[in-house]
Amino acid sequence: MIMLRSMDERGFSLIEVAICVLIITIAAIGTYNIIIYGNRHIADSRRMTEATNIARAMLEKLADDPASTDFYPSDMERLPNMSWQIEYLNSYGETVPDFEIEIADPLTIKLTISWRQDQDSRQRSVQLSTRITQGLT
């Protein structure tokens, strides 16, 4: 027995189904890439915020006692591969040696925190500075 299809009983052809699957696959891959890209930038922003908070905490301790060496914040291990550099500057922007820190007035403390990202080998850094007047008379 042979079944004949009438003109109003049409279905999808194989080529139409294949094109539909291709379009949905391309859209899904694009959406996936956008999500991955967004998550990577969220992680980068989180690390940048953590580094800024660590730098602020270090600067507060250094502003209280510029010659102090006990300024290591407790949450520093949140940023792996991190390093920091402290530079003391006088009012002319010249570097102040360690033995003159107590007599430089005003004193600018410039702190740079650097780290490497996990996903790539790019170095990131945050630089904060503060100017303190020690009130020497």
Side-chain angles (χ1 to χ4, degrees):
M1 170 182 240
I2 297 176
M3 302 278 263
L4 297 175
R5 283 202 303 179
S6 68
M7 293 302 279
D8 52 340
E9 290 185 44
R10 293 189 45 185
F12 296 106
S13 68
L14 185 60
I15 197 92
E16 290 171 330
V17 171
I19 290 174
C20 181
V21 168
L22 179 68
I23 290 172
I24 290 173
T25 303
I26 291 172
I29 290 171
T31 304
Y32 176 76
N33 286 337
I34 288 172
I35 290 170
I36 294 299
Y37 183 77
N39 285 340
R40 184 175 298 149
H41 282 286
I42 288 171
D44 289 349
S45 298
R46 185 176 305 123
R47 286 188 187 98
M48 185 71 75
T49 301
E50 288 174 1
T52 303
N53 290 337
I54 290 170
R56 283 185 184 153
M58 289 174 74
L59 273 180
E60 285 177 12
K61 290 180 181 181
L62 286 169
D64 290 340
D65 184 11
S68 172
T69 58
D70 183 29
F71 53 82
Y72 193 86
S74 60
D75 55 352
M76 195 169 261
E77 52 273 350
R78 291 173 143 182
L79 285 175
N81 306 323
M82 187 186 76
S83 62
W84 70 89
Q85 177 184 2
I86 301 169
E87 189 175 3
Y88 300 97
L89 306 170
N90 62 15
S91 58
Y92 302 109
E94 301 165 337
T95 301
V96 176
D98 290 343
F99 59 87
E100 292 182 9
I101 289 174
E102 294 294 330
I103 59 173
D105 196 21
L107 181 68
T108 300
I109 303 172
K110 186 166 69 170
L111 173 66
T112 305
I113 294 183
S114 303
W115 70 97
R116 291 210 179 273
Q117 294 294 92
D118 295 334
Q119 296 92 2
D120 53 20
S121 61
R122 291 184 295 177
Q123 175 130 354
R124 308 287 180 147
S125 64
V126 170
Q127 186 177 59
L128 296 178
S129 63
T130 187
R131 187 178 200 109
I132 59 171
T133 304
Q134 299 175 23
L136 301 174
T137 56

